[in-house]
């Protein structure tokens, strides 16, 4: 497809035609271009609510695209180097679940790192797949999980030749990439599909000197969070497929769980953002990379912080590193990442993407400028001066290898009882526990609860992590299997 065609945005263009026609709405949504909800118009603006419309022939239908949405998908596939692209309005959660549901049936094995987003384990709850976890490598100093070692993936494939797929984070939340090309080669030689969670890798498709994208590496399916580094509205994503995947079947899987009332605000934002990156992405992400490198240099000069980058690359479990990711280790100032996160927001009006027990992540993308980065650097220097303390007794380990006893589905739907957290040691959990963000479970259904996990949960709560997942909103009790 010619580059000139990437200047088109068919969904956006169709909405503009619709708006000019001043159509009288006797369909949903019930706010009728905002007339029935003036406060909504005041919040979002008349132009926005006027294009919050339902599927109709001139605007196509997300469940079965035949015109403008189909054109938008074809343009996206071309821009991302994929065989097919699907516009997703249920976030990358929906895209990840589609990847797994399209490859796995009940009892099928899937090889994956344990530091996956909860959406991957949710998909196994739905379809009954059996996880074969590869424990990611761990950086002991930083307390973060890394990528999968090639030898560990190879061993998992050899020991589970009946597995149907290998799932890879590309990259992890911290910007760490496994050797995706090597994993694709190993998996394909054994007839397994490769599924890539690229929630944090949209820019890999449009920048230079960035890690390899899933489609370029030959993966079969990839989930891409366009709303993260790509600039579209929150909850909008792409699902990409490579050669040999049946798009009609993938669409059927998407339609099992995705809404039949796709938001045209989300769809048009995907369309416009794809056009923006196709035309200007290379230049934009070069600027983002330079901004992140500048920030790393300035933050490391403060002392006691460690903004890590490509010096971490080891050719295996850190095969490559995303240089746009600004992750900062905070333990040497005696504060957990989540504590720095809270202070930056409460004292300096700076909202960081997330903080864990030892690190913070400042998410840089196409909307950032040098002045905001300088404000962050200044705030971190002042924060160190005001709050630095002895780091003795601080917990550093971020990844705890799970003891998997049952499949996520069997344990999630089993008979269960609620116990106080401190009394759950040795029992089998039937729900999730995680800090959000990033939404990587500390505990997932089917895993044994250990002293180490209990200590982690208590410590993370004390430090102020946003713990989510359990039925008990205070996370003082956990659901465990009855009699197990």
């Amino acid at each position: 497809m010619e580059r000139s065609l990437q200047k088109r945005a068919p969904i956006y263009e169709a909405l503009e035609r619709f708006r000019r026609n001043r159509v009288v709405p006797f369909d949903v949504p019930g706010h009728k271009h905002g007339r029935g909800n003036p406060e909504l118009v005041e919040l979002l603006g008349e132009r926005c609510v006027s294009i919050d419309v339902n599927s109709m022939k001139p605007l196509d239908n997300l469940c079965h695209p035949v015109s403008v949405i189909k054109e938008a998908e074809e343009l996206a596939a071309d821009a991302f180097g994929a065989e097919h692209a699907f516009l997703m309005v249920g976030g990358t959660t929906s895209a990840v679940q589609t990847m797994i549901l399209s490859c796995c049936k009940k009892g099928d094995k899937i090889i994956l790192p344990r530091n996956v987003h909860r959406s991957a384990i949710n998909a196994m709850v739905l379809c009954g797949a059996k996880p074969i976890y590869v424990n990611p490598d761990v950086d002991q100093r930083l307390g973060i999980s890394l990528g999968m070692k090639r030898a560990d993936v190879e061993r998992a494939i050899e020991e589970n030749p009946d597995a149907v797929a290998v799932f890879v984070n590309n990259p992890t939340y911290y910007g760490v990439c496994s050797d995706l090309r090597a994993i694709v080669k190993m998996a394909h030689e054994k007839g397994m599909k490769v599924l890539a969670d690229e929630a944090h890798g949209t820019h890999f498709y449009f920048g230079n000197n960035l890690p390899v994208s899933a489609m370029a590496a030959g993966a079969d399916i990839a989930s891409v969070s366009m709303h993260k580094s790509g600039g579209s509205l929150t909850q909008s994503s792409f699902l990409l497929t490579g050669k040999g995947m049946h798009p009609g079947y993938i669409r059927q899987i998407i339609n099992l769980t995705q809404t039949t009332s796709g938001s045209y605000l989300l769809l048009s934002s995907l369309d416009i953002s794809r056009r923006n990156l196709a035309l200007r992405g290379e230049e934009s992400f070069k600027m983002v990379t330079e901004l992140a490198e500048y920030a790393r240099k300035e933050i490391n000069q403060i002392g006691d912080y460690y903004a890590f980058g490509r010096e971490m690359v080891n050719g295996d479990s850190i095969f490559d590193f995303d240089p746009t990711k600004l992750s900062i280790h905070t333990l040497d100032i005696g504060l957990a990442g989540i504590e720095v996160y809270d202070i930056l927001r409460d004292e300096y009006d700076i909202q960081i993407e997330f903080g864990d027990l030892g690190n913070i992540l400042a998410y840089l993308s196409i909307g950032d400028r040098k002045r905001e980065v300088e404000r962050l650097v200044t705030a971190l220097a002042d924060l160190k001066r005001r709050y630095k303390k002895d780091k003795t007794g601080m917990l550093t380990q971020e990844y705890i290898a799970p003891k998997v006893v049952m499949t996520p589905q069997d344990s999630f739907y089993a008979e269960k009882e609620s116990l106080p957290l401190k009394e759950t040691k040795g029992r089998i959990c039937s729900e999730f526990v995680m800090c959000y963000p990033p939404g990587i479970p500390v505990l997932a259904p089917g895993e044994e609860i250990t002293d180490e996990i209990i200590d982690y949960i208590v410590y993370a709560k004390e430090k102020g992590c946003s713990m989510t997942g359990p039925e008990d909103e205070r996370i003082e009790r956990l659901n465990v299997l009855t009699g197990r």
Side-chain angles (χ1 to χ4, degrees):
M1 202 176 280
E2 292 179 22
R3 181 176 167 83
S4 60
L5 283 176
Q6 286 293 337
K7 293 177 180 175
R8 291 211 50 218
I11 299 173
Y12 164 73
E13 291 158 12
L15 283 168
E16 283 294 284
R17 286 193 297 272
F18 170 83
R19 203 171 53 81
R20 285 195 301 269
N21 288 344
R22 302 177 67 86
V23 172
V24 178
F26 284 106
D27 62 351
V28 297
H31 62 67
K32 305 288 179 161
H33 300 182
R35 289 194 300 270
N37 196 342
E39 288 90 351
L40 187 65
V41 179
E42 191 177 342
L43 175 67
L44 299 179
E46 192 173 334
R47 190 179 182 93
C48 182
V49 293
S50 72
I51 57 169
D52 178 38
V53 291
N54 195 30
S55 294
M56 59 187 75
K57 280 191 177 178
L59 298 180
D60 209 355
N61 188 308
L62 183 60
C63 295
H64 189 86
V66 294
S67 59
V68 295
I69 294 177
K70 186 177 182 182
E71 287 178 57
E73 289 182 343
E74 288 167 353
L75 288 165
D78 176 68
F80 283 87
E83 285 292 304
H84 202 93
F86 300 85
L87 277 62
M88 306 295 293
V89 295
T92 309
T93 287
S94 182
V96 166
Q97 290 174 344
T98 296
M99 291 200 305
I100 293 174
L101 294 175
S102 65
C103 293
C104 299
K105 300 179 181 66
K106 187 172 177 63
D108 283 347
K109 292 180 183 175
I110 177 170
I111 296 166
L112 68 170
R114 178 55 179 75
N115 58 325
V116 289
H117 188 264
R118 72 167 291 173
S119 56
I121 303 175
N122 281 348
M124 292 186 277
V125 169
L126 293 174
C127 71
K130 181 180 180 183
I132 304 298
Y133 288 126
V134 173
N135 285 322
D137 206 5
V138 172
D139 186 296
Q140 300 294 340
R141 178 195 166 187
L142 301 178
I144 65 169
S145 47
L146 306 172
M148 297 184 288
K149 289 182 176 176
R150 285 185 296 269
D152 291 343
V153 176
E154 187 175 17
R155 189 180 308 111
I157 288 173
E158 284 174 3
E159 291 175 358
N160 300 276
D162 52 341
V164 298
V166 179
F167 186 103
V168 188
N169 294 316
N170 192 49
T172 68
Y173 213 57
Y174 300 95
V176 174
C177 298
S178 301
D179 187 351
L180 187 55
R181 281 196 173 100
I183 291 169
V184 167
K185 186 172 184 292
M186 286 188 276
H188 283 178
E189 282 173 355
K190 300 296 183 182
M192 300 175 191
K193 302 291 186 192
V194 175
L195 321 180
D197 181 347
E198 293 190 302
H200 301 280
T202 306
H203 45 294
F204 291 2
Y205 290 88
F206 301 99
N208 279 329
N209 300 314
L210 293 175
V212 69
S213 70
M215 290 296 106
D220 298 284
I221 325 181
S223 303
V224 179
S225 279
M226 195 66 166
H227 69 94
K228 290 192 173 80
S229 60
S232 67
L233 290 177
T234 295
Q235 206 179 304
S236 58
S237 295
F238 282 116
L239 180 67
L240 309 175
T241 58
K243 290 177 180 170
M245 300 303 293
H246 194 294
Y249 181 66
I250 301 283
R251 178 88 65 198
Q252 286 184 323
I253 298 294
I254 291 171
N255 288 341
L256 289 176
T257 56
Q258 185 164 259
T259 178
T260 55
S261 305
S263 166
Y264 277 88
L265 300 176
L266 299 181
L267 295 173
S268 59
S269 84
L270 282 171
D271 203 20
I272 293 165
S273 301
R274 179 271 313 154
R275 179 174 68 179
N276 180 45
L277 295 190
L279 300 178
R280 293 178 283 274
E282 190 176 318
E283 164 196 341
S284 297
F285 291 121
K286 180 174 183 287
M287 184 194 71
V288 175
T289 302
E290 288 170 354
L291 205 52
E293 296 291 3
Y294 166 76
R296 268 188 281 278
K297 177 169 163 285
E298 293 293 311
I299 290 165
N300 287 331
Q301 283 177 353
I302 296 170
D304 293 326
Y305 294 111
Y306 175 34
F308 48 93
R310 274 192 159 152
E311 73 282 354
M312 300 257 297
V313 169
N314 61 21
D316 195 359
S317 60
I318 314 175
F319 183 77
D320 206 347
F321 184 84
D322 174 7
T324 72
K325 293 287 185 295
L326 182 56
S327 295
I328 305 153
H329 188 61
T330 65
L331 283 188
D332 290 335
I333 65 165
L335 294 175
I338 188 63
E339 292 176 305
V340 174
Y341 169 102
D342 285 337
I343 294 167
L344 284 172
R345 183 193 60 244
D346 296 342
E347 303 282 332
Y348 298 92
D349 295 326
I350 292 174
Q351 181 59 54
I352 294 293
E353 167 67 9
F354 90 109
D356 61 28
L357 299 190
N359 307 275
I360 58 172
L361 172 65
Y363 212 98
L364 298 185
S365 71
I366 56 177
D368 284 295
R369 300 168 297 181
K370 194 171 182 181
R371 71 181 75 163
E372 282 88 14
V373 169
E374 287 171 344
R375 185 171 161 189
L376 173 63
V377 172
T378 303
L380 287 170
D382 191 57
L383 189 152
K384 175 193 164 185
R385 180 184 61 79
R386 294 171 63 201
Y387 292 99
K388 183 178 177 182
K389 61 180 196 242
D390 184 11
K391 70 173 185 177
T392 304
M394 300 201 70
L395 193 63
T396 60
Q397 200 57 40
E398 190 67 24
Y399 178 76
I400 302 170
K403 294 183 179 179
V404 181
V405 181
M406 294 171 64
T407 68
Q409 186 183 69
D410 286 345
S411 47
F412 186 83
Y413 290 112
E415 288 293 319
K416 61 197 77 169
E417 59 182 316
S418 173
L419 290 180
L421 178 62
K422 295 287 180 79
E423 295 175 22
T424 59
K425 181 191 173 183
R427 303 294 293 269
I428 310 305
C429 193
S430 70
E431 56 186 356
F432 291 92
V433 184
M434 73 210 83
C435 295
Y436 187 85
I440 297 165
V442 178
L443 260 179
E447 295 175 1
E448 184 180 324
I449 302 165
T450 62
D451 279 334
E452 190 181 13
I453 288 169
I454 294 169
D455 291 345
Y456 181 99
I457 293 169
V458 170
Y459 182 87
K461 282 172 63 181
E462 284 173 359
K463 290 296 181 185
C465 287
S466 297
M467 302 292 285
T468 67
E471 203 172 301
D472 174 21
E473 64 179 39
R474 293 182 303 280
I475 317 192
E476 292 168 356
R477 304 178 71 87
L478 286 180
N479 286 341
V480 298
L481 268 62
T482 304
R484 292 288 295 270

